[in-house]
Amino acid sequence: MSFETISVIGLGYIGLPTAAVFASRKKKVIGVDVNQKAVDTINRGEIHIVEPDLDMVVHAAVTEGYLKAVTIPEPADAFLIAVPTPFKGDHEPDLSYIESASKAIAPVLKKGDLVILESTSPVGATEQMAEWMAEARPDLTFPQTHGEESDIRVAHCPERVLPGHVLRELVQNDRVIGGMTAKCSDKAAALYKTFVEGECVITNARTAEMCKLTENSFRDVNIAFANELSMICDKLDINVWELIRLANRHPRVNILQPGPGVGGHCIAVDPWFVVSKTPEQARLIRAAREVNDSKPEWVIEKVNLAVAEYLQANPEKTAKEVTIACFGLAFKADIDDLRESPAMAIVQEIAFIHPGPTIAVEPNISALQENAARNVTLSSIEGALNRVDIAVLLVDHKQFKSVEWKEFSSQYVIDTRGMATGL
Ligand code: SAJ
C-alpha cells in the first residue's frame, strides 16, 4: 500500500504537526484549512500556532516542496480529518466541522482512497462521517454498506499527543487504529507506519472513539479527585500536598495534583461526549466535570477572603489600594497557551470584581491581547513581587518555583499549585 499524496484537513494543533511530520518523511502533503490567513502563513513556511520545534519542521517541509496549504481540497490517496469537535448547548457534541470537512473532500474522493477521522469524537461519529460522504458520492461505495468490498476505506485514529510535546509524542506514542472494517484498519495502519515508531494497535471505529474519550475522562476523574481532596483538606486544615505525597507512598496509590481547575481543549470537553451519549450511566464522569469546573469559583472565594482579612489587618487601607498579583495565565505549566485556561478565567474575574490593581505574571508571553483581560497589567516576576499584597499562584511554571514564597505571609498567598505551601 503506497500513499503518494496525503491530505490533512484542519491545520491546527494536531493537523499541522501531523502534516509536517508526513512531509518530513518525504510524502507529498496537501494541508487544507478554511482559514486563508493560516494557509498563507504556512505557505510562507511559518506557523500560526505555538508548539516547540514545529516552526523548523514546517519551514523545512514547505521550502523543500513537500507541504503546501490550500483552502479547497484536492485529490489525494489518504485524507486525515483533524478539525475541532467542540460542544454546544447543554454539552452536546457539535459535529458541524466534521460534517463540513467530509462534505468538502467528497467531490475529490476516488476509488481506493482512505479517509481517517482524527478529531476526538463521540461514539458513532466515524459512521456518521462515512454516511455524509456516501450521501455526497452515490457513485462510490462505503464500508457501512459494502464492507470489505467498499471503494473508500474509513477509520478513526484518535490523536493522543500532549501539547508542548507534540512532535515527539506523534512519533513515539502507540496509535489506536479503529477501522470500519479489517481492511480499513490495515490501510490506516500502513499509513501511520510512515512515521509512527510506537505500536499501531487495531480495533474497530467505535472502540477507538471510546478509547480516546476514556483516556481523557480517566485523567479528568483523577484530577477531580485531587481537586476535591484540596477542598476537603482546606476545611480540615490539612496540607493537601503533604497528604498526597504521603498517600502516594502506598504502592498502589497515585493521586494527581490539585490545581485551579482543568483547562485545555480536551480534558474539559471530551468527558461530556460520554455523558451526552449515556447520561444515566456516566454519573462519576459527570460529577468529575462538575468538581473541576467549580474549582475556579472556589479559588476566587479564597481571594475575596484574603482581601477581607488583609483589610482587617490594615484598617488604614481601602480595597482600591490592595494589589493582587496572579502568577501564571497559561492552562498548564511551561507552555504559553492561554486558551481554555482556568488561570486566565480567574484573573479576569478578579480584575472584574477587585477595585484595586490586578497584576498578572506570565513569563511565556510578551503581551496580553487587547480585551483578553481588561484592567490587568502584565508584569515581570520581580515587578509583581515588589508590589504584591495578595499573591495568587495559578500555574506552576518553572520560573515561579525559585521564588521564596515562604517569605510571604501565608494568609496572603492563595496557592493553587502547592508551590508555596506544598514545599
Ligand atoms: N492538571 C491538574 N493536575 C494534574 C494534571 C493536570 O490540575 O495533576 C490540569 C492541567 O493544569 C491542565 C489540565 O489538567 O489545566 C489538562 O492538562 P494535561 O496535561 O492533563 O492534558 P492536556 O489537555 O494538555 O492533554 C491531554 C492529554 N491526555 C491525557 O493525558 C490522558 C493528551 O495526551 C491528549 O492528546 C490531549 O489531552 C488531547 O488532545 O486530547
Side-chain angles (χ1 to χ4, degrees), residues 54 65-66 128 175 203 217 219 281 338-339 364 403 409:
L54 182 62
Y66 289 105
Q128 171 67 73
R175 196 90 203 197
T203 179
S217 300
R219 196 147 169 91
Q281 290 74 24
L338 310 188
R339 298 169 312 151
N364 298 310
V403 174
S409 183

Side-chain angles (χ1 to χ4, degrees), residues 308-342:
E309 264 185 52
Y310 185 89
L311 289 174
Q312 223 171 23
N314 300 276
E316 74 288 357
K317 286 204 178 184
T318 66
K320 269 193 162 163
E321 294 161 294
V322 178
T323 300
I324 302 180
C326 302
F327 293 82
L329 290 174
F331 87 82
K332 62 177 183 175
D334 305 324
I335 61 166
D336 63 355
D337 193 345
L338 310 188
R339 298 169 312 151
E340 318 297 336
S341 166

